[in-house]
Amino acid sequence: MQKRIWLLALVAVVFLGGSAAWADDGFYVIGGGGGVGTKINSLPYTINTPGFYYFGGNLTYNGSGNAITVNVDNVTIDLMGFSLTYNGSSSTPDGIHMHERSNVEIRNGTISGFFTGINEDSANGTNHRVINIRADSNTRTAGVGILLSGLNHLVRGCTASHNSYGGIGIGSGTISGCVACNNGNYGITMHGIGSILNNIANNNSVYNFNLGTASTATNILVNGNSSSGLSPNYNLATSSTGVVISALNAGTP
């Protein structure tokens, strides 16, 4: 009975109120009456105001700069299941680009064809979240699917494959429940303090998991992951004993 009441309330919000409502696992249900954030319908697009932004359909870009640039903190971009694709001739375009930003969340869609699908390029970037993104076939120059420099990021439930250089890389934070396969150099990499939990990384050319830095002791918990095809599958770029590779991982450390 309670579930039926909840569903009726959700329908009423969507079709009568014209505003956003939460569904399972963090997805938005968008009503038809307006008043719900800002729809991104064309590219290039620059975000200068905090808030909620969403795709109204698949978007293709062929310009020379970045497709979407985030110039402000506290932003959510929901692809709504749609795709962001590059088919131009520039060698270094990003799909979604940030510089020294904080608290940006990007979720629910596919990003392909770029230099970097999602890129925070500054060590001062903090607290980004990338959830349920497929970052595939980003092959311009040394293409990377998801790359977040800086601190305290979360990448969860994402897939990164067939990128010409790397799959998923963050400065520090948590990478959880992701799949990174068939990338040209690394599958998953983390340089700073954090956790690598319940991921799969196979068939990457040089590293499946690449952990730490050559010069800094780094505390990284690596637990519940699966990896095969390389020796070692879990490469330690630092001699720090702070990198803990749990026995619950599959594949040779």
Side-chain angles (χ1 to χ4, degrees), residues 57-171:
N58 296 322
L59 295 175
T60 300
Y61 180 60
N62 59 11
S64 58
N66 302 313
I68 297 173
T69 302
V70 181
N71 281 338
V72 68
D73 301 337
N74 306 315
V75 167
T76 295
I77 304 172
D78 198 325
L79 277 65
M80 303 299 295
F82 295 112
S83 63
L84 173 61
T85 305
Y86 185 72
N87 66 1
S89 59
S90 177
S91 60
T92 57
D94 291 341
I96 300 176
H97 179 86
M98 299 166 283
H99 176 74
E100 295 188 350
R101 299 274 59 89
S102 297
N103 306 321
V104 176
E105 179 167 322
I106 301 161
R107 62 192 189 206
N108 304 334
T110 300
I111 302 177
S112 60
F114 290 90
F115 171 55
T116 307
I118 296 171
N119 186 15
E120 164 61 70
D121 69 0
S122 171
N124 294 320
T126 59
N127 301 326
H128 299 321
R129 292 160 53 98
V130 178
I131 301 171
N132 194 34
I133 288 291
R134 282 86 67 193
D136 301 325
S137 300
N138 293 285
T139 55
R140 293 288 168 180
T141 318
V144 177
I146 299 166
L147 185 60
L148 303 177
S149 299
L151 304 174
N152 304 325
H153 305 305
L154 170 67
V155 180
R156 187 181 73 207
C158 296
T159 301
S161 64
H162 298 98
N163 299 290
S164 58
Y165 190 79
I168 300 169
I170 70 174

Side-chain angles (χ1 to χ4, degrees), residues 197-209:
L197 307 173
N198 304 313
N199 305 283
I200 298 171
N202 294 322
N203 301 320
N204 298 287
S205 295
V206 180
Y207 306 113
N208 283 326
F209 292 91

